[in-house]
Structure formats: C-alpha cells, structure tokens
Coordinates of all heavy atoms in Angstrom, one line a residue:
M1 N -9.8 -18.9 3.4 CA -8.8 -19.8 3.9 C -8.0 -19.1 5.0 O -7.7 -17.9 4.9 CB -7.8 -20.0 2.7 CG -6.7 -20.9 3.1 SD -5.8 -21.4 1.7 CE -4.2 -20.8 2.1
T2 N -7.7 -19.8 6.0 CA -7.0 -19.2 7.2 C -5.5 -19.6 7.0 O -5.2 -20.8 6.8 CB -7.6 -19.8 8.5 OG1 -8.9 -19.5 8.6 CG2 -6.8 -19.2 9.7
T3 N -4.7 -18.7 7.3 CA -3.2 -18.9 7.2 C -2.6 -18.2 8.5 O -3.0 -17.1 8.8 CB -2.6 -18.2 5.9 OG1 -3.2 -18.8 4.8 CG2 -1.1 -18.5 5.9
T4 N -1.7 -18.9 9.1 CA -1.0 -18.3 10.2 C 0.4 -17.9 9.9 O 1.1 -18.6 9.2 CB -1.0 -19.3 11.4 OG1 -2.3 -19.8 11.6 CG2 -0.3 -18.8 12.6
V5 N 0.8 -16.7 10.3 CA 2.1 -16.2 10.0 C 2.7 -15.7 11.3 O 2.1 -14.9 12.1 CB 2.0 -15.0 9.0 CG1 3.4 -14.4 8.7 CG2 1.3 -15.5 7.7
R6 N 4.0 -16.0 11.5 CA 4.7 -15.5 12.7 C 5.4 -14.2 12.2 O 6.2 -14.2 11.3 CB 5.7 -16.5 13.2 CG 5.0 -17.7 13.8 CD 6.0 -18.7 14.2 NE 5.4 -20.0 14.3 CZ 5.2 -20.6 15.5 NH1 5.6 -20.1 16.6 NH2 4.6 -21.8 15.5
L7 N 5.1 -13.1 12.9 CA 5.7 -11.8 12.6 C 6.7 -11.5 13.6 O 6.5 -11.7 14.8 CB 4.6 -10.7 12.5 CG 3.5 -10.9 11.4 CD1 2.5 -9.8 11.6 CD2 4.1 -10.9 10.0
P8 N 7.9 -10.9 13.2 CA 8.8 -10.3 14.2 C 8.0 -9.2 15.0 O 7.1 -8.6 14.5 CB 9.9 -9.7 13.4 CG 9.8 -10.3 12.0 CD 8.3 -10.7 11.9
L9 N 8.4 -9.0 16.3 CA 7.7 -8.1 17.1 C 7.6 -6.7 16.5 O 6.6 -6.1 16.6 CB 8.4 -8.1 18.5 CG 7.8 -7.1 19.5 CD1 6.4 -7.6 19.8 CD2 8.6 -7.1 20.8
R10 N 8.7 -6.2 15.9 CA 8.7 -4.9 15.3 C 7.7 -4.7 14.2 O 7.0 -3.7 14.0 CB 10.1 -4.4 14.9 CG 10.6 -5.2 13.7 CD 12.1 -4.8 13.3 NE 12.4 -5.2 12.0 CZ 12.6 -6.5 11.6 NH1 12.3 -7.5 12.5 NH2 12.9 -6.8 10.4
V11 N 7.5 -5.8 13.4 CA 6.6 -5.8 12.3 C 5.2 -5.8 12.8 O 4.3 -5.1 12.4 CB 6.8 -7.0 11.3 CG1 5.8 -7.0 10.3 CG2 8.2 -6.8 10.7
E12 N 4.9 -6.6 13.8 CA 3.6 -6.7 14.5 C 3.2 -5.4 15.1 O 2.1 -5.0 14.9 CB 3.6 -7.8 15.5 CG 2.2 -8.1 16.1 CD 2.2 -9.2 17.1 OE1 3.3 -9.8 17.4 OE2 1.1 -9.4 17.7
Q13 N 4.1 -4.8 15.7 CA 3.8 -3.5 16.4 C 3.5 -2.4 15.3 O 2.6 -1.6 15.4 CB 5.0 -3.0 17.2 CG 5.1 -3.8 18.5 CD 6.4 -3.5 19.3 OE1 7.3 -2.9 18.8 NE2 6.4 -3.8 20.6
A14 N 4.3 -2.4 14.2 CA 4.1 -1.5 13.1 C 2.7 -1.7 12.5 O 2.0 -0.8 12.1 CB 5.2 -1.6 12.1
L15 N 2.4 -3.0 12.3 CA 1.1 -3.3 11.7 C 0.0 -2.9 12.6 O -1.0 -2.3 12.1 CB 1.0 -4.8 11.4 CG -0.3 -5.4 10.9 CD1 -0.7 -4.8 9.5 CD2 -0.3 -6.9 10.8
A16 N 0.1 -3.1 13.9 CA -1.0 -2.7 14.8 C -1.1 -1.2 14.8 O -2.3 -0.7 14.8 CB -0.6 -3.2 16.2
T17 N 0.0 -0.5 14.9 CA -0.1 1.0 14.8 C -0.8 1.5 13.6 O -1.7 2.4 13.6 CB 1.3 1.6 14.9 OG1 1.9 1.1 16.2 CG2 1.3 3.1 14.9
Y18 N -0.4 0.9 12.4 CA -1.0 1.3 11.2 C -2.5 1.0 11.1 O -3.2 1.9 10.7 CB -0.3 0.6 10.0 CG -0.8 0.9 8.6 CD1 -0.4 2.1 8.0 CD2 -1.8 0.1 8.0 CE1 -0.9 2.4 6.7 CE2 -2.2 0.4 6.8 CZ -1.9 1.6 6.1 OH -2.4 1.9 4.9
C19 N -2.9 -0.1 11.7 CA -4.3 -0.5 11.6 C -5.1 0.5 12.5 O -6.2 0.9 12.2 CB -4.5 -1.9 12.1 SG -3.9 -3.1 11.0
V20 N -4.5 0.9 13.6 CA -5.3 1.9 14.5 C -5.4 3.2 13.8 O -6.5 3.8 13.8 CB -4.5 2.0 15.9 CG1 -5.1 3.2 16.6 CG2 -4.6 0.7 16.7
E21 N -4.3 3.7 13.2 CA -4.3 5.0 12.5 C -5.2 5.0 11.3 O -5.9 6.0 11.1 CB -2.9 5.3 12.0 CG -1.9 5.6 13.2 CD -0.5 5.8 12.7 OE1 -0.2 5.6 11.5 OE2 0.4 6.2 13.5
T22 N -5.3 3.9 10.6 CA -6.2 3.9 9.4 C -7.6 3.3 9.6 O -8.4 3.2 8.7 CB -5.5 3.1 8.3 OG1 -5.3 1.8 8.7 CG2 -4.2 3.8 7.9
R23 N -7.8 2.8 10.9 CA -9.1 2.2 11.2 C -9.4 1.0 10.3 O -10.5 0.9 9.8 CB -10.2 3.3 11.2 CG -10.0 4.3 12.3 CD -11.1 5.3 12.2 NE -10.8 6.4 13.2 CZ -11.4 7.6 13.1 NH1 -12.3 7.8 12.2 NH2 -11.1 8.5 14.0
R24 N -8.4 0.2 10.1 CA -8.6 -1.0 9.3 C -8.2 -2.2 10.1 O -7.4 -2.1 11.0 CB -7.8 -0.9 8.0 CG -8.3 0.3 7.2 CD -7.4 0.5 6.0 NE -7.4 -0.6 5.1 CZ -6.5 -0.8 4.1 NH1 -5.5 0.0 4.0 NH2 -6.6 -1.8 3.3
T25 N -8.7 -3.4 9.7 CA -8.2 -4.6 10.4 C -6.9 -5.1 9.9 O -6.5 -4.7 8.7 CB -9.3 -5.7 10.2 OG1 -9.4 -6.1 8.9 CG2 -10.7 -5.3 10.7
K26 N -6.2 -5.9 10.7 CA -5.0 -6.5 10.2 C -5.2 -7.3 9.0 O -4.4 -7.3 8.0 CB -4.4 -7.4 11.3 CG -3.9 -6.6 12.5 CD -3.3 -7.5 13.6 CE -2.9 -6.7 14.8 NZ -2.4 -7.6 15.8
S27 N -6.3 -8.0 8.9 CA -6.6 -8.9 7.7 C -6.8 -8.1 6.5 O -6.2 -8.4 5.4 CB -7.9 -9.7 8.0 OG -7.7 -10.7 9.0
E28 N -7.5 -6.9 6.6 CA -7.6 -6.1 5.4 C -6.3 -5.6 4.9 O -6.1 -5.6 3.7 CB -8.5 -4.9 5.8 CG -10.0 -5.2 6.0 CD -10.7 -3.9 6.5 OE1 -10.1 -3.0 7.1 OE2 -11.9 -3.9 6.3
V29 N -5.4 -5.2 5.8 CA -4.1 -4.6 5.4 C -3.3 -5.7 4.7 O -2.7 -5.5 3.7 CB -3.4 -4.0 6.6 CG1 -2.0 -3.6 6.2 CG2 -4.2 -2.8 7.1
I30 N -3.2 -6.9 5.4 CA -2.4 -8.0 4.9 C -2.9 -8.5 3.5 O -2.1 -8.7 2.6 CB -2.3 -9.1 5.9 CG1 -1.6 -8.6 7.1 CG2 -1.7 -10.4 5.3 CD1 -1.7 -9.6 8.3
V31 N -4.2 -8.6 3.4 CA -4.8 -9.1 2.1 C -4.5 -8.1 1.0 O -4.0 -8.4 -0.1 CB -6.3 -9.3 2.2 CG1 -6.9 -9.5 0.8 CG2 -6.6 -10.5 3.0
E32 N -4.6 -6.8 1.3 CA -4.3 -5.8 0.3 C -2.8 -5.8 -0.2 O -2.5 -5.7 -1.3 CB -4.6 -4.4 0.8 CG -4.4 -3.3 -0.2 CD -4.7 -1.9 0.4 OE1 -5.6 -1.7 1.2 OE2 -3.9 -0.9 0.0
L33 N -2.0 -5.9 0.8 CA -0.5 -6.0 0.5 C -0.2 -7.2 -0.3 O 0.6 -7.1 -1.3 CB 0.3 -5.9 1.8 CG 0.2 -4.6 2.5 CD1 1.0 -4.7 3.9 CD2 0.9 -3.5 1.7
L34 N -0.8 -8.4 0.0 CA -0.5 -9.6 -0.7 C -1.0 -9.5 -2.1 O -0.4 -10.0 -3.1 CB -1.1 -10.8 0.0 CG -0.3 -11.2 1.3 CD1 -1.1 -12.3 2.0 CD2 1.1 -11.6 1.0
E35 N -2.2 -8.9 -2.3 CA -2.8 -8.7 -3.6 C -1.8 -7.8 -4.5 O -1.6 -8.1 -5.7 CB -4.2 -8.1 -3.6 CG -5.2 -9.1 -3.1 CD -6.6 -8.5 -3.0 OE1 -6.7 -7.2 -3.0 OE2 -7.6 -9.2 -2.9
Q36 N -1.4 -6.7 -3.9 CA -0.5 -5.8 -4.6 C 0.8 -6.6 -5.0 O 1.3 -6.4 -6.1 CB -0.1 -4.6 -3.8 CG -1.2 -3.7 -3.6 CD -0.8 -2.5 -2.6 OE1 0.3 -2.5 -2.1 NE2 -1.8 -1.7 -2.3
R37 N 1.3 -7.4 -4.1 CA 2.6 -8.1 -4.4 C 2.5 -9.2 -5.4 O 3.3 -9.3 -6.4 CB 3.1 -8.6 -3.1 CG 4.3 -9.5 -3.2 CD 5.5 -8.7 -3.5 NE 6.7 -9.5 -3.6 CZ 7.9 -9.1 -3.7 NH1 8.1 -7.8 -3.8 NH2 8.9 -9.9 -3.8
F38 N 1.5 -10.0 -5.3 CA 1.4 -11.2 -6.1 C 0.5 -11.1 -7.4 O 0.7 -11.8 -8.3 CB 1.0 -12.5 -5.3 CG 2.0 -12.8 -4.2 CD1 1.6 -12.7 -2.9 CD2 3.3 -13.1 -4.6 CE1 2.6 -13.0 -1.9 CE2 4.2 -13.4 -3.6 CZ 3.9 -13.4 -2.3
M39 N -0.5 -10.3 -7.3 CA -1.5 -10.2 -8.4 C -1.3 -8.9 -9.2 O -2.1 -8.7 -10.1 CB -2.9 -10.4 -7.8 CG -3.1 -11.7 -7.2 SD -4.7 -11.9 -6.6 CE -4.5 -13.3 -5.5
G40 N -0.4 -8.1 -8.8 CA -0.2 -6.8 -9.5 C -1.3 -5.9 -9.5 O -1.4 -4.9 -10.2
T41 N -2.3 -6.1 -8.6 CA -3.4 -5.1 -8.4 C -2.9 -3.9 -7.6 O -2.3 -4.1 -6.6 CB -4.6 -5.8 -7.7 OG1 -4.2 -6.2 -6.4 CG2 -5.2 -6.9 -8.5
D42 N -3.1 -2.8 -8.2 CA -2.7 -1.6 -7.5 C -3.9 -0.9 -7.0 O -4.7 -0.3 -7.8 CB -1.9 -0.7 -8.4 CG -1.2 0.4 -7.7 OD1 -1.1 0.4 -6.5 OD2 -0.7 1.3 -8.4
T43 N -4.2 -1.0 -5.8 CA -5.4 -0.3 -5.2 C -5.0 1.1 -4.9 O -4.9 1.5 -3.7 CB -5.9 -1.1 -4.0 OG1 -4.8 -1.1 -3.0 CG2 -6.4 -2.5 -4.3
E44 N -4.9 1.9 -5.9 CA -4.5 3.3 -5.7 C -5.6 4.1 -5.1 O -6.7 3.9 -5.4 CB -4.1 3.9 -7.0 CG -2.8 3.5 -7.6 CD -2.3 4.3 -8.8 OE1 -2.6 5.5 -8.8 OE2 -1.7 3.7 -9.6
R45 N -5.2 4.9 -4.1 CA -6.1 5.7 -3.4 C -6.1 7.1 -4.1 O -5.1 7.5 -4.6 CB -5.8 5.8 -1.9 CG -6.0 4.5 -1.2 CD -5.7 4.5 0.2 NE -4.3 4.8 0.4 CZ -3.4 3.9 0.7 NH1 -3.6 2.6 0.7 NH2 -2.1 4.2 0.9
T46 N -7.2 7.8 -4.0 CA -7.2 9.1 -4.5 C -6.4 10.1 -3.7 O -6.1 9.8 -2.5 CB -8.7 9.7 -4.5 OG1 -9.1 9.8 -3.2 CG2 -9.6 8.7 -5.3
P47 N -6.0 11.2 -4.3 CA -5.2 12.2 -3.5 C -5.9 12.6 -2.2 O -5.3 12.8 -1.2 CB -5.0 13.3 -4.4 CG -5.1 12.7 -5.8 CD -6.1 11.6 -5.7
Y48 N -7.3 12.7 -2.3 CA -8.1 13.1 -1.1 C -7.9 12.0 0.0 O -7.7 12.4 1.1 CB -9.5 13.2 -1.5 CG -10.4 13.5 -0.3 CD1 -10.6 14.9 0.1 CD2 -11.1 12.5 0.4 CE1 -11.3 15.1 1.3 CE2 -11.8 12.8 1.5 CZ -12.0 14.1 1.9 OH -12.7 14.5 3.0
E49 N -8.0 10.7 -0.4 CA -7.8 9.6 0.6 C -6.4 9.7 1.2 O -6.3 9.4 2.4 CB -8.1 8.3 -0.1 CG -9.5 8.1 -0.5 CD -9.8 6.9 -1.3 OE1 -8.8 6.5 -2.1 OE2 -10.9 6.3 -1.3
L50 N -5.4 9.9 0.4 CA -4.0 10.0 0.9 C -3.9 11.1 1.9 O -3.2 11.0 2.9 CB -3.0 10.1 -0.3 CG -2.9 8.9 -1.1 CD1 -2.1 9.2 -2.4 CD2 -2.4 7.7 -0.4
A51 N -4.4 12.3 1.5 CA -4.3 13.5 2.4 C -5.1 13.2 3.7 O -4.6 13.6 4.8 CB -4.9 14.7 1.7
Q52 N -6.2 12.5 3.6 CA -7.0 12.2 4.8 C -6.2 11.3 5.7 O -6.2 11.5 6.9 CB -8.3 11.6 4.4 CG -9.4 11.5 5.5 CD -10.7 11.1 5.0 OE1 -10.8 10.4 4.0 NE2 -11.7 11.5 5.7
E53 N -5.6 10.3 5.1 CA -4.8 9.3 5.9 C -3.6 10.0 6.6 O -3.3 9.7 7.7 CB -4.3 8.2 5.0 CG -5.2 7.1 4.7 CD -4.6 6.0 3.9 OE1 -3.4 5.9 4.0 OE2 -5.4 5.3 3.2
A54 N -3.0 11.0 5.9 CA -1.9 11.7 6.4 C -2.3 12.7 7.5 O -1.5 13.2 8.2 CB -1.1 12.4 5.3
G55 N -3.6 13.0 7.6 CA -4.1 13.9 8.6 C -4.1 15.4 8.2 O -4.3 16.3 9.0
F56 N -4.1 15.6 6.9 CA -4.1 17.0 6.4 C -5.6 17.4 6.2 O -5.8 18.6 6.3 CB -3.4 17.1 5.0 CG -2.0 16.8 5.1 CD1 -1.3 15.9 4.3 CD2 -1.2 17.6 6.0 CE1 0.0 15.7 4.4 CE2 0.2 17.4 6.1 CZ 0.8 16.4 5.3
I57 N -6.5 16.5 6.0 CA -7.9 16.9 5.9 C -8.5 17.0 7.2 O -8.5 16.1 8.1 CB -8.7 15.8 5.1 CG1 -8.0 15.6 3.7 CG2 -10.2 16.2 4.9 CD1 -8.1 16.7 2.8
G58 N -9.1 18.2 7.5 CA -9.8 18.4 8.7 C -8.9 18.8 9.9 O -9.2 18.7 11.0
C59 N -7.6 19.2 9.6 CA -6.7 19.5 10.7 C -6.7 21.0 11.1 O -6.0 21.4 12.0 CB -5.3 19.1 10.3 SG -4.6 20.0 8.8
V60 N -7.4 21.8 10.4 CA -7.4 23.3 10.7 C -8.7 23.6 11.4 O -9.8 23.2 10.9 CB -7.3 24.1 9.4 CG1 -7.4 25.6 9.7 CG2 -6.0 23.8 8.8
D61 N -8.7 24.2 12.5 CA -9.9 24.6 13.2 C -9.9 26.1 13.3 O -9.1 26.7 14.0 CB -9.9 24.0 14.6 CG -11.1 24.3 15.4 OD1 -12.1 24.8 14.8 OD2 -11.1 24.1 16.7
S62 N -10.8 26.7 12.6 CA -10.9 28.2 12.6 C -11.8 28.7 13.7 O -12.0 29.9 13.7 CB -11.3 28.7 11.2 OG -12.6 28.2 10.9
R63 N -12.4 27.9 14.5 CA -13.3 28.3 15.6 C -14.4 29.2 15.0 O -14.8 30.2 15.6 CB -12.5 29.0 16.7 CG -11.4 28.3 17.2 CD -11.8 27.3 18.2 NE -10.7 26.6 18.8 CZ -10.7 25.4 19.3 NH1 -11.8 24.7 19.2 NH2 -9.6 24.8 19.8
G64 N -15.0 28.8 13.9 CA -16.1 29.5 13.4 C -15.8 30.7 12.6 O -16.7 31.4 12.2
K65 N -14.6 31.1 12.5 CA -14.2 32.4 11.8 C -13.5 32.0 10.5 O -12.8 31.0 10.5 CB -13.3 33.2 12.6 CG -13.9 33.7 13.9 CD -12.8 34.5 14.7 CE -13.2 34.9 16.1 NZ -12.1 35.6 16.8
S66 N -13.6 32.9 9.6 CA -12.8 32.7 8.4 C -11.4 33.1 8.7 O -11.2 34.2 9.2 CB -13.4 33.6 7.3 OG -12.5 33.6 6.2
S67 N -10.4 32.4 8.3 CA -9.0 32.7 8.6 C -8.6 34.0 7.8 O -7.8 34.8 8.2 CB -8.1 31.6 8.2 OG -8.2 31.2 6.9
A68 N -9.3 34.2 6.6 CA -9.0 35.3 5.8 C -9.5 36.6 6.5 O -8.9 37.7 6.5 CB -9.7 35.2 4.4
A69 N -10.7 36.5 7.2 CA -11.2 37.6 7.9 C -10.3 38.0 9.1 O -10.1 39.2 9.3 CB -12.6 37.3 8.5
G70 N -9.7 37.1 9.7 CA -8.7 37.4 10.8 C -7.5 38.1 10.3 O -7.0 39.0 10.9
T71 N -7.0 37.6 9.1 CA -5.8 38.2 8.5 C -6.1 39.6 8.1 O -5.3 40.6 8.3 CB -5.4 37.4 7.3 OG1 -5.1 36.1 7.7 CG2 -4.1 38.0 6.7
K72 N -7.3 39.9 7.5 CA -7.7 41.2 7.1 C -7.7 42.2 8.3 O -7.2 43.3 8.2 CB -9.1 41.2 6.4 CG -9.5 42.5 5.9 CD -10.9 42.4 5.3 CE -11.4 43.8 4.8 NZ -12.7 43.7 4.2
G73 N -8.3 41.7 9.4 CA -8.3 42.5 10.6 C -7.0 42.9 11.1 O -6.7 44.0 11.5
R74 N -6.1 41.9 11.1 CA -4.7 42.2 11.5 C -4.0 43.2 10.6 O -3.3 44.1 11.1 CB -3.9 40.9 11.7 CG -4.3 40.1 12.9 CD -3.4 38.9 13.1 NE -3.2 38.0 12.0 CZ -4.0 37.0 11.8 NH1 -5.0 36.7 12.6 NH2 -3.8 36.2 10.7
V75 N -4.2 43.1 9.3 CA -3.6 44.0 8.4 C -4.1 45.4 8.5 O -3.4 46.4 8.6 CB -3.8 43.6 6.9 CG1 -3.4 44.6 5.9 CG2 -3.0 42.3 6.6
V76 N -5.4 45.6 8.7 CA -6.1 46.9 8.9 C -5.5 47.5 10.2 O -5.2 48.7 10.2 CB -7.6 46.8 8.9 CG1 -8.2 48.0 9.4 CG2 -8.1 46.4 7.6
A77 N -5.4 46.7 11.3 CA -4.9 47.2 12.5 C -3.5 47.7 12.4 O -3.1 48.7 13.0 CB -5.0 46.1 13.6
A78 N -2.6 46.9 11.7 CA -1.3 47.3 11.5 C -1.2 48.6 10.7 O -0.3 49.5 11.0 CB -0.5 46.2 10.8
I79 N -2.0 48.8 9.7 CA -2.0 50.0 8.9 C -2.4 51.2 9.7 O -1.8 52.3 9.7 CB -2.8 49.9 7.6 CG1 -2.2 48.9 6.7 CG2 -3.0 51.2 6.9 CD1 -3.0 48.5 5.5
R80 N -3.5 51.0 10.5 CA -3.9 52.1 11.4 C -2.9 52.5 12.4 O -2.7 53.7 12.7 CB -5.2 51.7 12.1 CG -6.4 51.7 11.1 CD -7.7 51.4 11.8 NE -8.8 51.5 10.8 CZ -9.9 50.8 11.0 NH1 -10.1 50.1 12.1 NH2 -10.9 50.9 10.0
K81 N -2.2 51.5 12.9 CA -1.2 51.8 13.9 C 0.0 52.6 13.3 O 0.5 53.6 13.9 CB -0.7 50.5 14.5 CG 0.4 50.7 15.6 CD 0.8 49.3 16.1 CE 1.9 49.5 17.2 NZ 2.5 48.2 17.6
K82 N 0.4 52.2 12.1 CA 1.5 52.9 11.4 C 1.1 54.3 11.0 O 2.0 55.2 11.2 CB 1.9 52.1 10.2 CG 3.1 52.7 9.5 CD 3.5 51.8 8.3 CE 4.7 52.4 7.6 NZ 5.1 51.6 6.5
H83 N -0.1 54.5 10.6 CA -0.4 55.8 10.1 C -1.3 56.6 11.1 O -1.7 57.7 10.7 CB -1.3 55.6 8.7 CG -0.4 55.1 7.7 ND1 0.6 55.8 7.0 CD2 -0.4 53.8 7.1 CE1 1.2 55.0 6.1 NE2 0.6 53.8 6.1
G84 N -1.5 56.1 12.2 CA -2.2 56.8 13.3 C -3.7 57.2 13.0 O -4.1 58.2 13.4
R85 N -4.3 56.4 12.3 CA -5.7 56.6 12.0 C -6.7 55.8 12.8 O -6.6 54.7 13.2 CB -6.1 56.4 10.5 CG -5.3 57.4 9.6 CD -5.7 57.1 8.2 NE -4.9 58.0 7.3 CZ -4.9 57.9 6.1 NH1 -5.6 57.1 5.4 NH2 -4.2 58.7 5.3

C-alpha cells in the first residue's frame, strides 16, 4: 500500500542523513519505526550491529602492525634511554 506523508524539512533532512549513514532506504526506516510504534515489535539489533552503526567497528587502522608491538617497542626504548643501555 502506498501512503504519502508530508514531512517538515528538518525531519526530512534528518531522515535522509540517517538513511545515507545506515545505507537503508527511507521506506525501510519508516516501516520499521511504524512497526515498533503500533505493533510493539522491537527489532533489536545486536551489540555488534549497534557498534558497527556507530562507527566503532573497523575504525582502527594499525597499518599492518600490531598496536601492542608498537607499544612494546616504545616501552623498551624508554627503558633503554633511562638506563643508558
């Protein structure tokens, strides 16, 4: 069924931004929100999905090195500098 809704400009812009960020269509987002509101369906996402949406997953670039290895090297260098070895 097709339904037309007039949205205030600020709501339309927020919806468009959200759709771009989450790579979903406006229809998908609106249908999900209406289902949650009227049918009590809670389409809960997993913590992984929430973290991915927030940009926490895949946000660290170690450039092929282990971040622990880099830290270890800095600690060893600091100790050698302090103790002159």
Side-chain angles (χ1 to χ4, degrees):
M1 179 172 123
T2 301
T3 301
T4 303
V5 178
R6 293 176 198 249
L7 299 173
L9 182 60
R10 71 183 194 295
V11 174
E12 185 179 0
Q13 289 173 339
L15 176 62
T17 301
Y18 179 80
C19 290
V20 168
E21 290 172 355
T22 60
R23 296 181 184 158
R24 298 173 65 198
T25 66
K26 291 178 183 178
S27 293
E28 289 175 332
V29 172
I30 292 169
V31 168
E32 180 181 328
L33 293 172
L34 290 173
E35 285 177 347
Q36 288 175 2
R37 174 70 179 186
F38 296 118
M39 296 177 196
T41 58
D42 192 12
T43 55
E44 288 191 33
R45 293 179 297 264
T46 65
Y48 178 84
E49 291 169 332
L50 293 171
Q52 192 172 26
E53 279 183 25
F56 294 125
I57 303 295
C59 64
V60 176
D61 182 14
S62 62
R63 305 279 182 210
K65 297 180 189 176
S66 168
S67 60
T71 303
K72 181 180 177 181
R74 288 192 299 274
V75 169
V76 168
I79 291 171
R80 286 186 179 153
K81 181 179 177 184
K82 181 178 181 179
H83 296 288
R85 293 182 186 175

